[in-house]
Amino acid sequence: MDRVLVRLIAAPSFLALSLLPALSEPKHGIAMQGEPALPAGYQHFDYVNPDAPKGGSVTYCVVGSFDNLNPFILKSLRTTARGMIDTVYGNLIFEPLMQRNYNEPFSLYGLLADSADMDSERKSIEFHLNPNAKWSDGQPVTPEDVLFTYDVFTDKGRPPYSDRMSMIAKLEKTGDHSVKFTFNDKANREFPLITALTPIIPKHAFDRDSFDKTTLKPLIGSGPYTVDKVQPGQRIVFKRNPDYWGKDIPSKRGFDNFDQITIEYFLNANAKTEAFKKGICALDDETDPVKRDRDIDFPAFRKGDVKQEYFDTGIPPVVTGFLFNTRLPKFADPVVRRALGMLYDFEWANKNLFAGKFNRTMSFWQNSELSALGHPADEREKALLAPYPGRVPAEVMDGSWRPPVTDGSGQDRKVLRAAFEMLKGAGYHVEGGRMVDPQGNPFGFEIMTSSQDEERLAALYQRTLEKIGIDVTIRSLDGDQIQSRKQRFDFEVLIGTSGFNNSLSPGSEQLGRWGSVAAKQEGSFNLAGVADPAVDAAINAMLNARAKEDYVAAVRVLDRLLISGNYIVPMQYNTQQWLAYWSYLEHPQKTPIFGYQLPAWWRKPN
């Protein structure tokens, strides 16, 4: 607690008391907008089977490697093992104060804290820790653990955890089982929920001095599993803790049903697919419809031992595409990026690579009320953009913008000509068959890929760009090298097939993706290097909006700015999630708006 700021406040005057936010009551849940959907006394989330049988084992498979078990530090030579904190497999080891309900845009319910008392102005929040909450070694979770977490994250953690104390004026223990956050003027209306979602670590189990060093020693957490076995780079095995403190609380009922979870690592996607066919991996989540239609035709599937299923989601599709590092002079001009953005031939790719099963990505919140597409800017949006004239083209402002549509031939001259004329207007020209910039230097770039699928898409883009003299090279690296280069912003163009996941309640994560401060922070998710005061203002307005109308307006402004900035060349999407899985697995009947939730699956009893 030595670095956590705790301030003593003198007794306030009567006038000061009258100006304080109205007192509130501790609640079982909190929501970003409005009230949580589930009432006090709810028994479980509605997308789980509360009576799911416990037992058995499951093996998940991923591409990559790992050499570290501490997910909160920057200095990882490769990557952190999956499952320590994970939105896909669940927070197996470390837990936050409150648990997200994935069938609501952004609502949280009690976990390590059984209730939260947030004032109406969101200037403070007090969490009451569940007195039954324990670490896996049996010691209780205490307010001192919360204070230590913020202290060590601030000093030695990685973004975004290292930045959170900068928005906190005071963090204090207020009782044997309670801790209170008081926020400063840097905080926004979402930040109380962010504190509720920050994973908490045990003070007694971490050495402060060596916290920022990578480790393969199993770590102590409060989650439903413990680390059982570690084979660096190959495999990590988690064992369900029979004494897990939270197995009967409502937000955890129906989850964590396997006795053992193994995560196997493979060098590439093809090796992972073959392992699935052999029964090593429990499921396959291939996103390429042509590849999965081909690969699913194997004996176990034909016999019925393997199933395939589509899951509908209610959130905006993941945005994937070619991402420009705008820190580099060659990508500093948005006109150049706009011209390059015109040259991804989606129509050819969809017909020849994806059997026509995809739609074109055009917005960061596509298919929702938050999208700029089809929504002309209202007066709220115009007011937000007024200090930044000319940032958004007219067709993006009125919601009519769409990327160019080609004839699908792979050589649509009208699109090539339009892109060439745009570059010409920016001072570029062709000499000896090569595009050169206004200074006479050859214009080209390198696309970094990490899989054969990415290489195939990069090659398609490469062929189109070469038609107007732009020299593109493709560099294939393994996942560890990619991660290291991303952390240092050491790339020209990334092909992001993992993409940007967006929700119906975008919030502080947008600061990390697009905010000016994050553009300079090594290890941040602002890979494009976006540093635009208009974007910062839109995110700030979004985070501080009180009325839903103001919130929607701010997100649409952000969407318009990101579309207009051409930081990424969007590719394609399918709103359905596809999974193939071995028939010994079962899942709840209901799919929440965020899609299937593997922590709620179980194994059929023998």
Side-chain angles (χ1 to χ4, degrees), residues 365-383:
W365 287 275
Q366 202 151 332
N367 304 330
S368 79
E369 66 175 341
L370 303 176
S371 174
L373 299 182
H375 296 115
D378 63 16
E379 294 307 313
R380 292 181 179 85
E381 295 181 58
K382 292 176 182 177

Side-chain angles (χ1 to χ4, degrees), residues 358-369:
F358 278 83
N359 298 303
R360 182 70 193 266
T361 305
M362 296 179 280
S363 160
F364 289 80
W365 287 275
Q366 202 151 332
N367 304 330
S368 79
E369 66 175 341

Side-chain angles (χ1 to χ4, degrees), residues 28 37-51 109-110 246-255:
H28 69 291
L38 301 179
Y42 79 99
Q43 296 300 302
H44 56 82
F45 292 159
D46 61 358
Y47 55 89
V48 304
N49 173 8
D51 301 315
Y109 296 84
K247 59 180 177 290
D248 294 322
I249 66 173
S251 67
K252 294 296 285 182
R253 197 167 291 143
F255 293 102

Side-chain angles (χ1 to χ4, degrees), residues 496-573:
T497 54
S498 58
F500 293 102
N501 290 287
N502 278 314
S503 73
L504 296 173
S505 183
S508 295
E509 77 284 350
Q510 304 302 315
L511 289 169
R513 291 179 185 178
W514 313 112
S516 297
V517 173
K520 301 174 184 178
Q521 289 180 323
E522 185 176 298
S524 83
F525 292 106
N526 189 347
L527 298 171
V530 179
D532 181 354
V535 170
D536 295 337
I539 297 173
N540 184 60
M542 174 189 72
L543 294 174
N544 289 289
R546 294 171 179 251
K548 182 178 180 182
E549 294 81 4
D550 294 331
Y551 179 78
V552 171
V555 180
R556 286 184 186 169
V557 166
L558 178 58
D559 197 27
R560 296 185 205 280
L561 288 165
L562 295 178
I563 292 170
S564 304
N566 296 279
Y567 304 106
I568 185 170
V569 182
M571 293 192 293
Q572 55 276 327
Y573 74 90

Side-chain angles (χ1 to χ4, degrees), residues 249-324:
I249 66 173
S251 67
K252 294 296 285 182
R253 197 167 291 143
F255 293 102
D256 314 316
N257 301 314
F258 301 105
D259 284 344
Q260 179 177 292
I261 296 175
T262 300
I263 300 179
E264 293 272 356
Y265 285 76
F266 292 85
L267 291 177
N268 55 61
N270 287 337
K272 182 168 78 81
T273 299
E274 292 306 311
F276 169 68
K277 292 180 180 180
K278 294 175 183 178
I280 297 172
C281 312
L283 54 84
D284 180 26
D285 58 357
E286 176 60 56
T287 57
D288 183 334
V290 175
K291 188 174 186 294
R292 67 194 183 204
D293 286 349
R294 181 187 69 232
D295 291 341
I296 197 65
D297 187 21
F298 65 103
F301 176 73
R302 292 193 290 269
K303 287 171 56 180
D305 293 333
V306 168
K307 301 177 181 180
Q308 67 171 341
E309 190 169 349
Y310 291 88
F311 298 86
D312 291 316
T313 67
I315 57 175
V318 175
V319 177
T320 64
F322 301 93
L323 183 140
F324 303 116

Side-chain angles (χ1 to χ4, degrees), residues 8 13 20 48 57 60 65 70 95 193 236 244-245 297 318 387 550 563 595:
L8 297 176
S13 66
L20 289 174
V48 304
S57 63
Y60 300 125
S65 184
N70 185 345
E95 295 179 313
L193 281 75
I236 182 168
Y244 172 51
W245 72 273
D297 187 21
V318 175
D550 294 331
I563 292 170

Side-chain angles (χ1 to χ4, degrees), residues 342 344-348 404-410 412 414-415:
M342 297 171 63
Y344 175 65
D345 195 338
F346 163 75
E347 285 71 28
W348 189 94
V405 177
T406 73
D407 59 14
S409 67
D412 191 327
K414 71 177 187 299
V415 176

